[in-house]
Each structure stands twice: as C-alpha cells, then as structure tokens.
C-alpha cells in the first residue's frame, strides 16, 4: 500500500538485510540480493540482525538529520520534552525540547514514526515468511520479532495517541500486522486495540523465548521481553502482571557500583544492569555518522555536539536539589556554580547543572543501553503500591535506593506520598534514559518550566498534558487516505 511504499523509501533495504544476528557488529561484504535471499538458509537471521542494526543507525527515521539515530534518538527526544532534561542551545534535538516536534511538518514527527513503522514492515515480512516454520531456531527468531513489534508499537502509541487510561476508545494507530495489506492503507485502530495487540505480541514473545540463549545483549531474550512486558502492563494498569514481569526480569541481576555509575557505566554494554543494548564498534558506527549519535548529543565531556559545540544537556534545578548529598547519583551532575571536571585526561570548564552522566572514553563508539534492570525496581514498586501492597513496595524501593544513598532509610510513606517518592527516585535514577516524559503523560503531570529561579532555556514555558501528543507526519497523511490527523 502507499504507506508501506513510503516506509520502504525511507530506509535502505540493503542495510536492513546486511547484518547477521550471530555477529551484529560485523557487516558482511556487499548487499544480499533478493534472489540470494530466497536460497539463503540464514536469511531470517540476516534480516533480524539488520533490524537490530538499523535501530541504532543514523537515518533510521528516514531523514539525513543528525538528530535521527534510532532508538536512542527517540529516547533522548522524549526526555527533552520532560521537566527534567534541559538543552542549552536550540540546535538538533532542540526541536523536542521546545515542542516543535509535535507538529506534523516537523522532521521529529517523521523520525519517530518512521524509526518504528519502517522496522514493523520488515518484522511483518519476516513473520509472514516464518508462519509455516516451527523449528527451534525460527521459534526464537519469531519471539524476537514479536517483542520488537510490541516495543515499536508501544513507543508509537505513546507519542501519537492519548494515554491509555480514560482514552481506550480514542484513535490510536494503524495496526499493520502483515506485509500484505490493501493498497488503500489502513485506518487508525483504537488505543485499546493497539495495546491489546502489544500485550498479545509481548506475552507470546515471552513464551517463544523460553529456551533461547542469546549470543550477546544486542538480541532480545526472554528476560528482555519480560522487561518490556512489565512497562506495558504498568501503562495499562494491569499491576499484577507488571509486578510479575518486573520481578522475574530483574531477578539475579546485580546493580551497578558507585564507580560504574559515576564513570563509564552508561557507555558499556558489560554494565551488570544492562538487559538490552547494542555494542558499538568502528564497523557499526560506519553505518551512521559519528556526530549523529547519542554520545555526540548527550556526553558533555566529548568532542561532539554536546561537548565541543556546547549544545549542553543539563538537569532541571529542582530535580538536582531533590537529590540528597549522600546519594552518589548527584556526582554525575554539576551544582549551581561553574566548575571544572576531568574525564579521559581532559579538564574542561562547565556551566551550572550540566550532566556528566553519559561519558564515553572513545570517539562516539560508546555502547547503547536500551533497558537497565534499575527501571524494573520502580515499575515493580509502583505496581505493588497501586495494589495496596505498600510494605512490599517500600522494600523494593529500599533495595535500590539504599545502594545509591548510604543514608537512605526504609520509607514510611503511604498512598500518593509513597507513589510520589517512587516516581521521584525513578526520575533521579533514569535521568536522560527516556522515561520521564512518558511517566508525565501517564500520570497526567504538566510541563512546568516557568518557576522562580528556573534554569530552563529556550523551551521555557508551561503546558498541560493534553499537549503531549504528536501529530502524524504529513508524509503519512498524504500517502494514506484512510488515516485521520490528530488535532
């Protein structure tokens, strides 16, 4: 259909079929032709590997913008729309920070849409091909594909539709579930229908991946699928399942040490907390542009856009002040005064409230971390609290917070105060990792950047949560007569 044609045009299909799942960091020489794929028994792994690779590459969203670099760009953009993350200068990802991104004509709307829908097309094509093949190998491939589709739709529906609660009948997304769709395009399914499909995909994925041992953390295994499921069910208010999947996913994973958290833990896929990520190398970086990368944008110590061009990423003053002095997470941010900071044998001067959290000792080849075990503590704690299991919720919160703050005591809070404490700790822990804005939308928390002493910059305004919705990009509206635009 026209929409699918647009997706295909937005990406290089050669890139999608280039990479092998067995070695995602090495690209085979030359492209694979359609004729070769028909005879190639490793075809499913190569296409799946290409999907993983493309989700971290410049151009994943169909543009040549340096703000277009896959999952990490989407996560970065989302956090820049929150109360907690500030960009000093209106360049590149600044379109998210000042909310221009929500407009149909803005490239950010196209980037988010195409990053995931382009991959959904390839996922569906491969799922169609695997329908009749139930071999052990292809069972694991199908499990990963379903998890990737669930993950993709989960991001899309949170950007382009209203929050789930109270809006189940509102317009959601076109649910493209096969590569063989009618030529006139698909209308938008409801929010409820989209989440039903997401839930179905991710729970089937959990079952299919029960015996899959992945070769690296770049692939989705059952633990990863459970982590995705936990977040999905927190969103829909199925707190029993949210607790179940969060607890099972984080089980047996050690938390980062203070040294890991405050040095290079966020650029190293061997960080013990990493559930899913991508190991970047010279080979994988050659797929995109070094400057079109997360560490170029968010590592204020490097020689990229954040460090050299000084498009700084800062923490909101209120959140910084809410971090106790005994909490080592405060060490990854500057205080209220200019300060010097040394990393990688380089000492530089930095402005107030600048972030030192994401530090890459290489030249933008730092590993990408998509999901950390830490996020699951807050999902589990909140879901427990919302079931009235407050003693258990306080204990889960204590398990992680006491690791970060030696003076933290088991909370005695109840009700909304306990929920608020969980969310505050989550904001501190996961700053810049793509959670804050989605929680604001889910919890109906307004954007408040105008306050006494604010350190917000060119995006200094307040908004109500009903403004937290992207318009569908113009290219999609023009090519799909069945789809209706958001207000």
């Amino acid at each position: 259909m026209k929409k699918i044609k647009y997706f295909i045009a937005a990406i290089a299909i050669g890139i999608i079929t280039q990479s092998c799942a067995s070695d995602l960091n090495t690209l085979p020489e030359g492209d694979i032709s359609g004729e070769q794929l028909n005879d190639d028994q490793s075809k499913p792994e190569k296409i799946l590997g290409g999907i993983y690779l493309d989700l971290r590459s410049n151009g994943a969203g169909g543009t040549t913008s340096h703000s277009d670099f896959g999952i990490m760009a989407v996560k970065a953009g989302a956090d820049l729309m929150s109360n907690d993350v500030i960009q000093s200068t209106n360049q590149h990802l600044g379109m998210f920070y000042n909310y221009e991104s929500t407009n149909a004509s803005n490239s950010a709307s196209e980037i988010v849409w195409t990053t995931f829908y382009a991959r959904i097309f390839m996922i569906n094509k491969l799922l169609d091909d695997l329908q009749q093949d139930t071999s052990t190998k292809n069972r694991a491939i199908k499990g990963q594909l379903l998890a990737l589709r669930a993950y993709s739709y989960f991001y899309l529906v949170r950007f382009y539709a209203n929050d789930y609660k109270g809006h189940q009948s509102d317009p959601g997304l076109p649910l493209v579930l096969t590569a063989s769709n009618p030529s006139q395009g698909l209308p938008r399914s409801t929010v409820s229908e989209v989440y039903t499909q997401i839930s179905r995909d991710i729970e089937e994925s959990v079952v299919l991946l029960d015996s899959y041992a992945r070769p690296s953390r770049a692939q989705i295994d059952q633990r990863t699928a459970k982590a995705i499921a936990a977040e999905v069910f927190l969103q829909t208010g199925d707190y029993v399942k949210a607790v179940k999947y969060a607890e099972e996913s984080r089980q047996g994973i050690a938390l980062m040490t203070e040294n890991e958290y405050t040095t290079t833990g966020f650029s190293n896929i061997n960080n013990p907390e990493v559930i899913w990520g991508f190991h970047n190398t010279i080979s994988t970086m050659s797929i995109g542009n070094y400057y079109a990368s997360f560490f170029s944008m968010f590592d204020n110590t490097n020689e990229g856009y954040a460090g050299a061009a000084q498009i700084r990423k800062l923490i909101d003053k209120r959140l910084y002040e809410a971090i106790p002095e005994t909490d080592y997470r405060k060490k990854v941010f500057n205080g209220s005064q200019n300060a010097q900071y040394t990393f990688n044998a380089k000492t530089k001067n930095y402005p107030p409230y600048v972030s030192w959290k994401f530090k890459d000792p290489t030249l933008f080849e730092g590993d990408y971390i998509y999901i950390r075990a830490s996020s699951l503590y807050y999902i589990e704690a909140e879901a427990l609290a919302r079931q009235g299991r407050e003693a258990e919720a306080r204990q889960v919160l204590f398990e992680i917070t006491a690791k970060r703050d030696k003076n933290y005591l088991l909370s005695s809070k109840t009700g909304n105060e306990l929920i608020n404490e969980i969310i505050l700790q989550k904001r501190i822990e996961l700053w810049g990792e793509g959670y804050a804005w989605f929680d604001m939308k889910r919890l109906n928390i307004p954007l408040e950047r105008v306050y006494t002493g604010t350190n917000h910059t060119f995006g200094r305004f307040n908004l109500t949560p009903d403004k937290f919705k992207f318009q569908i990009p113009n290219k999609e509206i023009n090519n799909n007569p069945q789809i209706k635009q958001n207000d």
Side-chain angles (χ1 to χ4, degrees):
M1 63 188 190
K2 291 183 178 178
K3 177 167 59 179
I4 295 300
K5 290 179 181 177
Y6 163 51
F7 295 156
I8 295 174
I11 57 176
I13 298 301
I15 291 177
I16 285 185
T17 58
Q18 279 177 354
S19 177
C20 296
S22 60
D23 188 359
L24 291 180
N25 301 316
T26 303
L27 298 178
E29 295 180 6
D31 292 342
I32 301 170
S33 70
E35 185 176 316
Q36 287 174 310
L37 284 174
N38 289 333
D39 299 324
D40 191 342
Q41 296 303 308
S42 64
K43 168 188 172 182
E45 287 112 321
K46 288 180 177 176
I47 296 178
L48 176 60
I51 294 169
Y52 281 124
L53 180 61
D54 214 42
L55 280 168
R56 50 79 44 226
S57 296
N58 178 224
T63 77
T64 58
S65 166
H66 280 192
S67 298
D68 181 356
F69 48 90
I71 290 174
M72 294 302 286
V74 174
K75 282 177 167 285
D79 252 13
L80 280 165
M81 298 180 74
S82 74
N83 284 318
D84 297 342
V85 183
I86 299 169
Q87 183 161 304
S88 63
T89 305
N90 190 7
Q91 298 286 337
H92 297 296
L93 293 171
M95 58 193 173
F96 288 94
Y97 180 64
N98 66 7
Y99 275 72
E100 290 179 7
S101 56
T102 60
N103 297 324
S105 59
N106 190 272
S107 63
S109 182
E110 179 184 343
I111 288 169
V112 175
W113 185 270
T114 306
T115 292
F116 294 111
Y117 263 120
R119 260 39 73 183
I120 287 170
F121 172 75
M122 298 305 300
I123 289 166
N124 289 339
K125 179 68 170 65
L126 191 47
L127 284 170
D128 289 348
D129 292 345
L130 294 177
Q131 272 187 335
Q132 306 304 319
D133 193 328
T134 58
S135 65
T136 300
K137 180 185 73 171
N138 286 339
R139 173 185 169 92
I141 291 173
K142 182 180 179 181
Q144 292 173 74
L145 291 167
L146 289 172
L148 284 166
R149 188 167 72 181
Y151 186 79
S152 298
Y153 274 123
F154 187 47
Y155 267 89
L156 287 165
V157 74
R158 289 182 294 169
F159 272 101
Y160 296 97
N162 290 322
D163 181 57
Y164 179 83
K165 294 178 184 176
H167 302 284
Q168 289 94 326
S169 299
D170 289 1
L173 299 165
L175 272 176
V176 186
L177 302 176
T178 175
S180 302
N181 284 296
S183 60
Q184 71 270 21
L186 293 175
R188 298 172 71 173
S189 297
T190 65
V191 168
S192 178
E193 288 168 339
V194 174
Y195 273 101
T196 296
Q197 185 63 47
I198 292 169
S199 301
R200 183 182 297 126
D201 279 354
I202 199 61
E203 290 204 286
E204 185 177 354
S205 170
V206 169
V207 173
L208 291 172
L209 294 171
D210 59 349
S211 60
Y212 173 58
R214 61 184 177 182
S216 78
R217 295 182 188 182
Q219 290 85 15
I220 291 176
D221 63 356
Q222 188 182 61
R223 186 190 294 276
T224 310
K226 287 180 176 180
I228 297 169
E231 193 172 359
V232 168
F233 289 116
L234 180 70
Q235 188 82 28
T236 60
D238 190 336
Y239 300 124
V240 173
K241 284 188 176 180
V243 168
K244 167 185 165 61
Y245 286 121
E247 194 280 330
E248 289 179 358
S249 182
R250 71 176 178 86
Q251 189 174 28
I253 297 182
L255 292 171
M256 274 192 283
T257 64
E258 177 178 352
N259 181 64
E260 287 165 332
Y261 197 103
T262 58
T263 56
T264 58
F266 293 98
S267 60
N268 186 351
I269 201 169
N270 293 319
N271 169 340
E273 290 187 24
V274 174
I275 289 177
W276 182 34
F278 196 96
H279 176 49
N280 281 315
T281 65
I282 292 175
S283 295
T284 60
M285 291 306 296
S286 69
I287 296 300
N289 187 298
Y290 276 78
Y291 289 93
S293 66
F294 178 76
F295 291 101
S296 173
M297 298 290 181
F298 262 67
D299 181 359
N300 291 305
T301 70
N302 69 18
E303 302 307 321
Y305 287 122
Q310 298 188 5
I311 307 172
R312 308 287 198 194
K313 303 302 181 292
L314 317 171
I315 185 172
D316 174 80
K317 175 184 176 181
R318 297 162 299 184
L319 184 58
Y320 175 82
E321 292 175 347
I323 308 174
E325 294 297 328
T326 52
D327 189 328
Y328 65 68
R329 294 175 297 187
K330 198 162 191 168
K331 293 181 180 180
V332 300
F333 302 105
N334 190 20
S336 60
Q337 304 296 319
N338 293 334
Q340 287 190 333
Y341 187 80
T342 301
F343 175 70
N344 224 19
K346 295 179 181 178
T347 300
K348 297 182 180 180
N349 296 314
Y350 293 94
Y353 304 110
V354 76
S355 164
W356 298 313
K357 180 176 178 178
F358 303 104
K359 297 187 288 290
D360 175 18
T362 71
L363 187 62
F364 316 137
E365 292 168 23
D367 298 334
Y368 285 172
I369 298 174
Y370 301 148
I371 301 176
R372 284 197 295 130
S374 291
S375 64
L376 300 168
Y377 284 81
Y378 306 103
I379 293 172
E380 185 178 349
E382 182 185 343
L384 285 167
R386 292 193 184 279
Q387 294 178 70
R389 299 163 63 182
E390 293 185 336
E392 295 170 83
R394 288 190 287 266
Q395 182 59 40
V396 171
L397 182 62
F398 178 80
E399 287 177 24
I400 184 167
T401 312
K403 292 282 189 181
R404 309 307 193 206
D405 179 359
K406 62 184 179 181
N407 287 0
Y408 182 77
L409 301 175
L410 183 70
S411 177
S412 59
K413 294 177 180 177
T414 61
N416 287 334
E417 288 189 353
L418 176 57
I419 298 290
N420 291 339
E421 182 179 3
I422 293 167
I423 297 302
L424 173 61
Q425 290 296 333
K426 185 178 184 181
R427 290 165 60 200
I428 294 168
E429 175 73 26
L430 300 172
W431 183 94
E433 296 181 59
Y435 292 85
W437 182 69
F438 293 123
D439 276 344
M440 287 172 62
K441 188 169 182 176
R442 176 173 65 88
L443 301 170
N444 200 36
I445 296 171
L447 187 78
E448 295 180 344
R449 294 175 176 171
V450 180
Y451 59 87
T452 302
T454 182
N455 64 321
H456 280 270
T457 55
F458 59 92
R460 188 178 294 184
F461 45 76
N462 298 340
L463 291 174
T464 52
D466 60 297
K467 301 296 191 295
F468 296 177
K469 183 169 61 177
F470 278 44
Q471 289 188 315
I472 294 166
N474 284 334
K475 285 187 177 181
E476 180 65 20
I477 295 296
N478 295 336
N479 285 295
N480 183 358
Q482 302 299 311
I483 200 167
K484 292 183 179 179
Q485 182 60 278
N486 286 325
D487 296 334

